[in-house]
Amino acid sequence: MRVPIIAGNWKMYKTMGEAMGLVNAIKKSLGSFDKAEVVVCPPFTALNTVYGLIENSMIKLGAQNLLWEKEGAFTGEISPVMLKDCGCEYVIIGHSERRQYFGETNETVNKKMKLALDMGLMPIVCVGETLADREANKTNAVIEAQLKGAFADISNDDMANVVVAYEPVWGIGTGKTATPDMAQAVHKFIRTWLTSNFNADIAEATRILYGGSVKPENAKELMAQDDIDGGLIGGASLKAESFIAIARNAIA
Ligand code: PEP
C-alpha cells in the first residue's frame, strides 16, 4: 500500500512570522492525523524556523528548489547540504513555475534529482503539460519526455525515495482542475511508464501526487482515483483550514 502524501507548496509567500503562525495552526488542527504524510514546503528563509516547530511532530519539511552542486560560487542558489542542514527531507524539483520563469529544463531537473538523491533528500519531481500541449493531443508525449529527462540514470534503489507530482500547467493557480478521469488517465500513463522503464514493483510503490487548484471541495474525488496518491497543494496550503480540510476530506 502506498502511503499518501499531502504536500503544501507555499511558493514565495510567508515571512518567518507568518510561517510560524501557519505551521502552528496546521500542527494544532492536524492532531493525531496519520492517514497521510503531511509535508510543508516554505520559502528558504522560513525553512529552519518551521523545522524548529515541527521537529518531532508528524509534519515533514520540504524545500521548493535546489542547485545540483554541493557548494561553490553560485550566487543566489541553494545547495542540498544547506537544505538538509535546515531539516528538509523532501525537495520539489522541476515545478512548472521554475520551468516557465527560470529556465529549468529536463536536463537540469535530472542533475538536481541525482544530487538530491545522493544527499538523502527525497525529490518530488513535477511533470505536466501546458494547455497548448493538451489541445494538440501532446499530453502523453510531453509527460514522457519530462519523465525520460528526469529519470535518466536514476537507479532502481533510488526510486524508493522518489515522488512524482503530475501538475497540468493550465491547472496551477488558475482555479481550473483536471477532472478526476483526466487526472487518473495521466497518472496511469506515468505508472505504466515507470513499469516499462524500471519495473512493476517500483511502479506500484511510487507515490504519484496530483497538483493544480486542489481545494477541499474537489480533493476527495481526485484522491479516490486508483493512481492518485495524494496532492501537491499551492494556494490552498496557505491557510491551515483549507490545507487540513484537503488532508481530512481526501484520505479515507
Ligand atoms: C502548485 O504550486 O504546485 C500548485 C498546484 O498550485 P495551486 O494548488 O495553487 O494550483
Side-chain angles (χ1 to χ4, degrees):
M1 274 301 283
R2 300 182 288 269
V3 177
I5 296 179
I6 299 294
N9 172 16
W10 296 4
K11 311 196 189 202
M12 199 175 72
Y13 293 101
K14 307 294 175 188
T15 60
M16 268 195 276
E18 290 165 348
M20 287 164 81
L22 176 55
V23 82
N24 276 331
I26 292 173
K27 207 162 85 171
K28 195 163 161 215
S29 44
L30 205 53
S32 56
F33 178 82
D34 64 356
K35 300 221 166 79
E37 259 183 66
V38 174
V39 181
V40 292
C41 305
F44 295 138
T45 47
L47 282 174
N48 201 234
T49 305
V50 167
Y51 182 63
L53 299 172
I54 60 176
E55 205 179 350
N56 306 319
S57 83
M58 289 154 53
I59 305 171
K60 297 181 173 162
L61 190 66
Q64 299 172 20
N65 186 28
L66 82 170
L67 188 68
W68 54 79
E69 293 284 345
K70 287 188 199 163
E71 63 177 7
F74 300 103
T75 304
E77 291 294 337
I78 193 100
S79 95
V81 179
M82 295 162 184
L83 299 182
K84 291 278 288 185
D85 196 39
C86 286
C88 289
E89 289 181 54
Y90 285 94
V91 59
I92 298 171
I93 299 182
H95 190 280
S96 63
E97 287 154 14
R98 303 254 11 129
R99 294 180 191 255
Q100 196 177 345
Y101 304 129
F102 302 103
E104 191 86 87
T105 64
N106 292 334
E107 290 69 38
T108 58
V109 167
N110 181 243
K111 282 161 79 168
K112 292 179 179 195
M113 294 272 293
K114 284 178 178 157
L115 189 59
L117 287 162
D118 280 355
M119 298 301 302
L121 283 165
M122 293 188 271
I124 301 176
V125 58
C126 300
V127 296
E129 81 287 3
T130 63
L131 189 57
D133 296 332
R134 180 161 280 270
E135 287 175 349
N137 277 328
K138 287 189 187 150
T139 299
N140 289 355
V142 168
I143 302 286
E144 182 164 22
Q146 291 172 339
L147 292 170
K148 257 191 192 157
F151 289 105
D153 303 318
I154 302 292
S155 71
N156 284 13
D157 285 351
D158 276 338
M159 284 305 291
N161 295 315
V162 171
V163 176
V164 181
Y166 166 57
E167 300 205 305
V169 179
W170 49 270
I172 297 182
T174 58
K176 288 185 198 149
T177 317
T179 64
D181 285 351
M182 279 159 84
Q184 165 59 22
V186 179
H187 281 238
K188 179 92 197 149
F189 177 79
I190 294 170
R191 207 174 299 286
T192 305
W193 187 91
L194 291 171
T195 305
S196 315
N197 289 273
F198 290 95
N199 61 49
D201 289 345
I202 286 173
E204 257 318 291
T206 303
R207 271 100 44 104
I208 308 175
L209 315 185
Y210 174 77
S213 301
V214 176
K215 304 178 211 59
E217 306 81 63
N218 60 22
K220 194 179 178 111
E221 244 196 308
L222 284 161
M223 307 300 152
Q225 302 302 308
D226 283 352
D227 291 291
I228 301 186
D229 308 310
L232 180 54
I233 322 295
S237 74
L238 298 174
K239 291 211 166 89
E241 309 82 74
S242 41
F243 185 56
I244 298 301
I246 289 170
R248 290 195 188 280
N249 283 359
I251 314 297

